[in-house]
Amino acid sequence: MQFTQSQGLLQAETQPNLFLPPGYDIFWSAVVLVVIGVFFYKFLLPRINGVLDERAAKIEGGLALAEQAQEDAEAARAERQEALAEARREAAHIREDANAQAAQIVAEAREQAKAEATRLVETANRQIEAERRAAVVSLRGEIGGLATELASRIVGEALADDARQSRVIDRFLDELDASTGAEDLAGSTRSANQEA
Amino acid sequence: MCPRERILSAAALLPLVAAADDSAEFVAPGIEEFFPDMIFGQPDGWFAFDRLMLVRLVVVVVLLLLLWLGARRITLVPGRGQAVIELLVDFVRVQIAETIMGKEKAKPFLPMLTTIFVTILAMNLASVIPGLNIGGTARIGLPLLMALWVFLTYLAAGARTQGLGKYLRNELFPPGIPWPMYLIITPIEIAQVFVIRPATLALRLTVAMVAGHLMLVLAFAATHFLIFEASAAMAAFAPVTLLGGFFITVLEIFISALQAFIFTILSAVYLNFAVEEAH
């Protein structure tokens, strides 16, 4: 009963219907929708989306930049370490080289000194030998002369006794000493005398 | 149709009123709330203009003014107004369109979905703004137009991405079903695609706003009646209805946002049916 009364109420007077739009409702709705739509499509959304995209791009760019910077720093660090290691290796190498070179120089110098010393000794020896030979030659000549003189004296004087003979010899030797002044020559003269 | 009957019908909604004495009659708000007197034009004409149409235009002007003020000097680092607008636009994009359709497929429909969402939200909120006091969506015209826009868009999108024939075949003859089932399913799907989807979009929104407005008017009208027109004893009940009015106002704000969200997310779902590959 109540229901039919409400129904009757709804259809009273102007009989409006909620779900069947009158023409003017559609018209003004269209006006509203078109105005808002144009505003959104032409003005608001392009601007907002533009700035949103720009911001997103900027943030992404910033992130990429930071990442790039970090990568660069990492690379630089690695490079620096590599360079350091390289320098260390090179220094060690140079040190080793220097050591080897020094050892070689020392060895060479030693070798050279030794060779020089040997050469000097040899030269000296040769000189000594030569001088000795020269002395022997000159001695031989002198001793020959002396022996001849001694013999002539011995023959020229009458050798009466041993005492005289020995005196003669002594005198000869003294003369010999006086003429040469060298003891070793006296020795050799003595031996030569004995031979004679 | 006499006043006595009106009281009876109101009494069903508001038992308190039944106890009102004979000195005043409480007239419960009814359907005529949504058909106010014409401001100009013939009631049957195309350009007739009543208070509800005025509310719509006021909402449009205020909405566009606010958005223009917020977006006029747009900067990379947003000011407060721009941040709110961005929040709104981003909400539709991320929470509605991209959630339902995915980033790439949602892109062409973002302007439409955003426009619809913001329009419905603004029109709905007019129902709790003093001075306007009625939602621009409480008359079927605007929701119906938006539903038609969505309807035509999903047909066009389906035709463009799959070809109209393939799209309709997928929709009306869902694959993977034994063929006798099509006898039942196909008529349902036809009604679904061509009538039910757009009609429910429009009706759900309109009915929600009509109901919300009726509850609000009822609460405030009852409060007014109890304080000023009913007997002094009845005034004691006024705080109850006033409190009810507060509650319904808050609820109406929530419903305003919820209905905008539902309309937009369902539009995205229907569009997704159209643009996704065979399902």
Side-chain angles (χ1 to χ4, degrees), chain A residues 32-77:
Chain A
V32 162
L33 206 54
V34 166
V35 169
I36 295 179
V38 167
F39 179 83
F40 269 68
Y41 274 70
K42 296 293 175 200
F43 174 77
L44 188 72
L45 290 174
R47 288 180 79 110
I48 292 291
N49 287 330
V51 80
L52 287 179
D53 289 351
E54 193 184 338
R55 191 177 306 145
K58 207 148 239 182
I59 289 169
E60 271 167 23
L63 289 179
L65 217 65
E67 204 167 307
Q68 181 66 38
Q70 204 161 11
E71 267 172 25
D72 284 356
E74 193 67 29
R77 208 167 62 88

Side-chain angles (χ1 to χ4, degrees), chain A:
Chain A
M1 189 60 193
Q2 188 113 41
F3 178 69
T4 51
Q5 276 172 345
S6 296
Q7 283 277 309
L9 176 65
L10 280 179
Q11 281 156 12
E13 296 148 23
T14 58
Q15 289 185 323
N17 189 319
L18 265 184
F19 307 119
L20 280 182
Y24 69 92
D25 186 9
I26 295 291
F27 171 77
W28 291 111
S29 297
V31 169
V32 162
L33 206 54
V34 166
V35 169
I36 295 179
V38 167
F39 179 83
F40 269 68
Y41 274 70
K42 296 293 175 200
F43 174 77
L44 188 72
L45 290 174
R47 288 180 79 110
I48 292 291
N49 287 330
V51 80
L52 287 179
D53 289 351
E54 193 184 338
R55 191 177 306 145
K58 207 148 239 182
I59 289 169
E60 271 167 23
L63 289 179
L65 217 65
E67 204 167 307
Q68 181 66 38
Q70 204 161 11
E71 267 172 25
D72 284 356
E74 193 67 29
R77 208 167 62 88
E79 208 168 294
R80 212 164 52 237
Q81 259 174 354
E82 180 58 33
L84 206 62
E86 180 64 27
R88 279 208 189 104
R89 269 202 301 279
E90 208 172 300
H93 190 65
I94 287 170
R95 211 157 42 227
E96 263 170 34
D97 267 11
N99 279 344
Q101 237 167 9
Q104 199 184 349
I105 286 167
V106 167
E108 268 174 16
R110 194 172 285 151
E111 197 68 27
Q112 236 170 9
K114 212 183 264 175
E116 183 70 8
T118 313
R119 196 179 57 79
L120 281 176
V121 168
E122 268 174 15
T123 313
N125 280 349
R126 264 200 305 277
Q127 206 169 343
I128 290 166
E129 181 66 18
E131 276 174 13
R132 197 181 62 82
R133 281 214 185 122
V136 167
V137 168
S138 86
L139 259 183
R140 197 163 281 162
E142 219 165 310
I143 287 169
L146 285 176
T148 312
E149 195 184 333
L150 180 59
S152 65
R153 277 197 203 168
I154 292 168
V155 174
E157 252 182 78
L159 295 176
D161 52 20
D162 286 348
R164 189 175 275 178
Q165 193 179 350
S166 114
R167 250 192 340 264
V168 169
I169 290 170
D170 283 344
R171 206 165 56 226
F172 170 71
L173 286 177
D174 286 343
E175 280 176 25
L176 193 64
D177 275 344
S179 74
T180 64
E183 279 185 2
D184 56 331
L185 289 184
S188 56
T189 311
R190 215 171 276 142
S191 62
N193 207 14
Q194 275 166 0
E195 279 172 32

